[in-house]
Amino acid sequence: MNTDENHPSSSDPSLKRTSSALQLGPRKKATLSNPLILHGRHFGRTVFALCNYPALLTAGILRLEELQNSPIEDYPADVRREHRVFLNLIDSYPGLLDRLTTGEEEDIIHIGEMLGKGASGARGDDTKTLKSAVLEWLVPRGQVVIPPLSRNIKSDRGFNHEVTGALLCPAGLDWSDAATKLSLKSGETAVRGDQWPMFLYAGYEYDPEDPWKGLLRGEILIFGFKHVFTSPSSVDREPKATRSGNAYLHGMKSVTKGSLAYIATQVRFALSSSSVFSRTDTVTDSENFYHSILDLLEDPDESEEVVDLMTWWTRRIFPNSSSSQRDVSKHSALSKIREKRAALQRANANTT
């Protein structure tokens, strides 16, 4: 049975992250016959995509014991993120922690492999379908891409094409400048993962004086998100999670930071000329790109902008899913209750 509408069943430390569980393990073909595999598909798309799951689980169990004597704040930032991912994983799958703590080492490895199969399978499926789907979103409907792009061969994409090159051009560089264009096309100007492309911005416009303006609100991102999560057929329709879409199947009612970083990474790769998604690909530098987006979204100092961004996305993709995301009508009973509660809280604060 098809459980996924999109996919039928079947050295410079600044350039490379240190080894951890939050890096890709070996690629393995996925099947959909195991609930752990199904969970891995959704977890990879929505929480953390580039995981070595056996290592994540093994390290997470050991760390739970260590944390009895030392707080998580004493660990490096990358370890803290890894542990957050581990906690999210065990919280999202009932009974998983018991299975991990009571099982043998080979049981933990097996569970990790099943989750990893799901995550890598979903990533591969999405990479495959977005490869052709993204071509429909490059220009307004009714217009054609000139020169035309192949659906099956990517060598003419990236900086080798005027349209994809403009979308992938790093914010702050001028694609219309002939010298810049030539340097990007030839590879003389190497683009690292943390040099974000123009397609991430609304209207594909970047304001160096206000780099948050329009960031991660580009139209092509919205199309990519709908394609993967609410169904390919929903891209041109009103936001609605179809009954066979991935969001509906997994009870997803809000856009997560991980899902936004995931779609940005997938769309970026689809626009590129690279044919195989790989963390060792220094041309696309996809893993660094993915981490850099998550770094921003998880930065406490950027919380105000991030909350606004995630609310905007959830309203755009799941407009009817959560009452907490909707404005309360003025003069309604609910608004009066909240006003009264706020007044009581202010009064109590003043007395103390």
Side-chain angles (χ1 to χ4, degrees), residues 170-349:
L173 297 185
D174 183 4
W175 176 250
S176 65
D177 178 72
T180 298
K181 187 180 300 184
L182 180 62
S183 183
L184 288 168
K185 184 176 181 179
S186 67
E188 180 181 350
T189 297
V191 179
R192 290 171 45 181
D194 59 359
Q195 293 179 275
W196 294 338
M198 288 299 300
F199 80 80
L200 293 185
Y201 283 88
Y204 310 133
E205 296 182 358
Y206 168 68
D207 182 356
E209 300 300 320
D210 185 8
W212 257 111
K213 183 179 180 181
L215 178 61
L216 292 170
R217 302 188 191 209
E219 185 177 48
I220 200 169
L221 281 180
I222 300 170
F223 294 157
F225 200 101
K226 288 182 177 181
H227 177 90
V228 170
F229 287 102
T230 59
S231 81
S233 60
S234 72
V235 170
D236 298 320
R237 303 176 186 173
E238 288 298 311
K240 181 180 180 182
T242 63
R243 290 183 179 274
S244 56
N246 291 316
Y248 183 89
L249 291 172
H250 294 276
M252 183 180 182
K253 297 181 178 180
S254 64
V255 176
T256 64
K257 298 171 185 177
S259 62
L260 186 51
Y262 176 78
I263 292 300
T265 303
Q266 284 282 13
V267 170
R268 179 175 177 267
F269 181 78
L271 293 171
S272 76
S273 59
S274 295
S275 58
V276 179
F277 189 103
S278 171
R279 60 175 290 262
T280 59
D281 182 359
T282 57
V283 176
T284 59
D285 201 18
S286 293
E287 188 168 23
N288 189 25
F289 173 79
Y290 177 78
H291 277 280
S292 70
I293 297 293
L294 274 184
D295 286 343
L296 176 74
L297 297 179
E298 294 178 351
D299 187 344
D301 292 335
E302 305 296 335
S303 60
E304 183 176 346
E305 289 82 359
V306 172
V307 168
D308 180 66
L309 174 68
M310 302 314 297
T311 300
W312 181 88
W313 265 97
T314 295
R315 286 175 173 170
R316 193 71 183 260
I317 305 298
F318 307 106
N320 302 314
S321 66
S322 174
S323 60
S324 64
Q325 301 295 337
R326 296 194 293 268
D327 293 330
V328 177
S329 300
K330 291 183 178 180
H331 309 303
S332 66
L334 177 58
S335 69
K336 296 299 182 183
I337 289 172
R338 290 184 174 175
E339 288 173 8
K340 185 175 181 180
R341 174 61 58 190
L344 288 172
Q345 290 175 340
R346 288 194 298 269
N348 291 335

